[in-house]
Amino acid sequence: MIDKTQYIRLIEQALGNLGYGDVAAELERVSGVEMQPLVARRFREAVLKGDVSTALSLLGELGSDANSVEQARYLLLCNHYASLVESGESQAALKYLREQIQPLESQLVARDGPRLTNAPQSLSYLAAMLLDRSSHPCPPKRLRDDVNEERQERLLSDLQRLLSPEVLMPENRLEVLLEQAVTSQIEKCRYHNTRNPRVSLMTDYKAGPECLPTVPYHRLSFHTDEVWVVQFSPDGKLLLSASKDGSAVLWNVQNIESVALKGVLYSGSAPINIAAFSPSGEEVLLGSGDGKIRVFEVSTAKKLIEIQIGSVTEGISAAMWANGSSRIAVTCNKELRSINIGPEQGQNGEWLLEYRTRLDQHAYDTVLSADGGTFVSVGQDRMLRFTRMSDNKVVTRGPEPTAVTCLSRSPDGRFLASNLSNGGIHVWQLGNLEPISDDRNPLAETEDPLDKLPHEPLYVLKGLKLSHPGRFVIRSSFGGANNAFVGTGSESSLIHIWHRESCALVASVEGHSATVNAVAWNPLDDHMLASASDDHEVIIWVSQKSV
């Protein structure tokens, strides 16, 4: 299965990278297998030294097809042009662009079609580079040398992807193959839950259920009615719980052996259905059935802000922090709103409404993209509706197969979970959704991230068969190492954990005696999970491995 000659070449390269060049040379002598032909070695040295003329003269001897050779030639020319620009040789760079690069660009366009105008090697981009440098002083030679060295290394990597790997061997190939093998084993392991695993090359990677938070370690009792919300602070040291009884409390979970009530943040008569730490962890946002948003200081429990957003009949369906602690995003009365609550914006409870748009139906739930600029909402039509505030552009995906009870976003912003009334969860690809602009070339054409959103979910997490459609909002949570898991409660009082990549249900655990309304993963402890239930309790779960 493995070509012996290639294997020996990889070993020779690895030995050289490890500093055992003499051993690699001896292996070449004994085996008669040369790591790289002389022409490939000379070409590699020329590229790294920035010797464009030598590299160009050797291109035809590297055994690649004519198309790849022409593309490689174009990359070499563009790299030399960039060096001229960086060194402040504007006239020479302009001449090189006109006489060397433009003719070849025309040939490539005639053969392959138009090139992207924002590609790093497009004519418009290269010209913009020259204009940008002409308006700034030339950097010191030391900095130019560092930039050029990085550029040559990137160029070599690009060239290796174009030219025949049989001749021009990719850098660190054996190490790359080993890392790919280990990464594949880790990704296929449904129970892997360690951020920096110590992996042995002598055995296959394995992990088991003991790595998942399935042990009910603490039962926290304070609330006198259903607990609807639970969330960890960004540093993982505090836990926030909010209830139908109108109270929101903080728990100190820094020491898992001595979890204790830190204090009551707020207590009122209206049920609290929204509770969230600010990105800094210094404030908490609460939304309640009386249509009010309240913000509290964590350290003192002092109420900082109280805003009447909705009413008892037109409640707040969602509220969250947007880009720091000075803005909140709210869904209420069929409207999406962004409100600046910074101290410089409001006096006497009057705050700046920065964005407002009307929906054609009630939104069951809403989340924000990681960049804080795009609402993702879902309503009765089961469509995922993406509304970008910067240009009011709206894109829809779906419909989902059944009613959507709530939405959740992964902490890193890459994924969106859509909880379905049939007990399943659809995980959609998300990411940043703001338009990408090129400061060097403002006129460059770019693809809009909203238009690139997939039309189908990335992962389908199939739920257990239900006797009837779900009636309640059950909030899920991404967590674990690399957000590899999705945890959720259920009306059957169980907590379910799915492995995101394989879509496998890896755990269903008992602990509560009534509907589990929400789960939350500790952002800094992959082995800790919290759950909130109609049984008035909050449970902190840990893994067997961490006990």
Side-chain angles (χ1 to χ4, degrees):
M1 182 176 179
I2 296 178
D3 185 288
K4 181 180 178 181
T5 298
Q6 292 182 353
Y7 188 40
I8 293 174
R9 291 178 65 193
L10 293 179
I11 294 174
E12 290 168 350
Q13 184 192 52
L15 286 170
N17 292 340
L18 291 171
Y20 302 118
D22 53 342
V23 180
E26 180 64 13
L27 179 58
E28 276 195 359
R29 187 189 68 79
V30 173
S31 66
V33 177
E34 191 177 39
M35 185 190 83
Q36 284 196 129
L38 178 60
V39 63
R41 295 182 186 179
R42 290 179 59 202
F43 179 79
R44 184 179 182 279
E45 291 173 1
V47 170
L48 292 178
K49 289 180 180 178
D51 185 352
V52 178
S53 58
T54 300
L56 288 171
S57 68
L58 295 172
L59 262 181
E61 302 178 41
L62 294 176
S64 298
D65 62 88
N67 181 40
S68 297
V69 169
E70 286 300 291
Q71 292 186 52
R73 183 179 167 216
Y74 190 80
L75 287 180
L76 285 165
L77 295 178
C78 291
N79 186 75
H80 182 59
Y81 167 81
S83 298
L84 292 174
V85 172
E86 287 294 336
S87 62
E89 301 177 57
S90 300
Q91 292 299 322
L94 182 59
K95 182 178 179 181
Y96 199 79
L97 182 65
R98 289 173 173 171
E99 297 180 358
Q100 299 291 331
I101 297 177
Q102 188 173 9
L104 183 56
E105 161 83 2
S106 300
Q107 294 178 26
L108 294 175
V109 168
R111 186 187 65 197
D112 302 329
R115 304 168 68 83
L116 287 176
T117 58
N118 65 321
Q121 294 84 29
S122 67
L123 280 180
S124 59
Y125 191 96
L126 295 173
M129 184 190 301
L130 183 59
L131 291 173
D132 181 66
R133 174 53 61 201
S134 63
S135 61
H136 295 86
C138 182
K141 183 177 183 305
R142 178 179 57 82
L143 293 179
R144 295 203 309 271
D145 289 344
D146 291 342
V147 170
N148 284 332
E149 183 177 348
E150 292 178 8
R151 184 186 296 113
Q152 310 305 342
E153 291 174 354
R154 288 198 304 270
L155 173 63
L156 180 62
S157 179
D158 292 338
L159 291 169
Q160 285 169 332
R161 284 192 287 269
L162 277 175
L163 303 173
S164 171
E166 296 292 332
V167 180
L168 189 62
M169 188 187 303
E171 299 294 295
N172 307 311
R173 184 58 184 162
L174 184 58
E175 291 90 330
V176 169
L177 289 173
L178 287 173
E179 288 180 2
Q180 287 176 348
V182 170
T183 300
S184 177
Q185 289 185 16
I186 290 175
E187 288 178 348
K188 290 179 180 178
C189 179
R190 297 177 177 180
Y191 299 102
H192 167 68
N193 192 24
T194 306
R195 300 193 186 197
N196 299 298
R198 301 184 66 180
V199 179
S200 171
L201 296 179
M202 304 304 164
T203 58
D204 291 342
Y205 180 80
K206 292 181 180 178
E210 72 279 356
C211 297
L212 301 180
T214 57
V215 178
Y217 205 69
H218 285 288
R219 293 181 180 272
L220 309 180
S221 298
F222 175 87
H223 299 289
T224 58
D225 208 331
E226 300 168 3
V227 187
W228 287 350
V229 188
V230 65
Q231 189 188 45
F232 285 96
S233 60
D235 62 6
K237 297 178 180 179
L238 295 176
L239 179 67
L240 169 66
S241 62
S243 168
K244 184 180 178 181
D245 66 12
S247 66
V249 299
L250 292 171
W251 307 87
N252 193 329
V253 295
Q254 185 171 4
N255 184 349
I256 189 60
E257 298 301 331
S258 58
V259 172
L261 179 69
K262 175 179 172 60
V264 178
L265 196 63
Y266 174 74
S267 182
S269 58
I272 299 176
N273 63 318
I274 297 166
F277 280 99
S278 65
S280 68
E282 297 175 356
E283 299 88 14
V284 163
L285 179 153
L286 300 178
S288 54
D290 57 7
K292 291 182 178 180
I293 291 290
R294 298 176 177 90
V295 176
F296 294 85
E297 188 176 54
V298 169
S299 60
T300 63
K302 176 185 176 182
K303 183 169 67 176
L304 303 176
I305 298 167
E306 181 175 305
I307 310 175
Q308 186 74 52
I309 298 290
S311 64
V312 175
T313 56
E314 287 284 353
I316 304 169
S317 56
M320 63 226 79
W321 297 94
N323 282 349
S325 302
S326 63
R327 289 174 173 81
I328 57 174
V330 180
T331 305
C332 178
N333 298 335
K334 297 184 181 180
E335 287 186 344
L336 304 175
R337 309 179 195 178
S338 175
I339 304 172
N340 190 322
I341 60 172
E344 73 282 0
Q345 297 294 345
Q347 293 181 356
N348 301 320
E350 296 177 1
W351 309 98
L352 179 63
L353 180 63
E354 294 184 322
Y355 177 83
R356 185 176 192 173
T357 190
R358 185 78 176 170
L359 300 174
D360 58 3
Q361 61 186 289
H362 177 71
Y364 295 157
D365 201 11
T366 306
V367 297
L368 275 180
S369 57
D371 52 61
T374 301
F375 286 96
V376 187
S377 59
V378 67
Q380 189 175 6
D381 62 1
R382 298 180 278 121
M383 300 291 291
L384 298 178
R385 186 168 279 97
F386 299 80
T387 306
R388 189 164 57 204
M389 288 181 270
S390 60
D391 56 6
N392 220 32
K393 181 172 180 174
V394 178
V395 170
T396 59
R397 293 292 182 267
E400 291 285 31
T402 66
V404 179
T405 61
C406 67
L407 302 173
S408 305
R409 197 200 74 197
S410 63
D412 57 14
R414 292 187 299 153
F415 305 110
L416 171 76
S418 172
N419 279 44
L420 307 178
S421 61
N422 64 4
I425 299 175
H426 283 178
V427 178
W428 296 76
Q429 186 175 324
L430 195 57
N432 289 347
L433 301 178
E434 283 297 302
I436 301 171
S437 60
D438 186 346
D439 293 337
R440 286 190 172 185
N441 189 8
L443 299 179
E445 297 176 6
T446 57
E447 290 188 87
D448 192 324
L450 280 181
D451 296 331
K452 294 173 65 178
L453 286 169
H455 289 266
E456 299 291 336
L458 193 60
Y459 307 107
V460 177
L461 312 181
K462 295 183 179 179
L464 304 177
K465 290 186 177 180
L466 303 177
S467 58
H468 57 80
R471 297 167 294 171
F472 307 126
V473 174
I474 308 292
R475 295 202 173 277
S476 58
S477 174
F478 290 89
N482 197 32
N483 295 306
F485 301 96
V486 179
T488 187
S490 69
E491 295 184 20
S492 61
S493 77
L494 297 176
I495 289 178
H496 304 302
I497 299 176
W498 280 270
H499 180 247
R500 174 174 49 78
E501 285 277 349
S502 66
C503 300
L505 182 64
V506 292
S508 292
V509 292
E510 299 178 346
H512 288 287
S513 58
T515 296
V516 181
N517 298 305
V519 299
W521 224 290
N522 190 312
L524 295 187
D525 187 345
D526 299 326
H527 293 241
M528 182 186 292
L529 186 79
S531 58
S533 170
D534 282 359
D535 63 11
H536 307 180
E537 286 191 327
V538 172
I539 296 181
I540 294 181
W541 307 75
V542 297
S543 68
Q544 294 179 11
K545 190 175 182 179
S546 65
V547 174

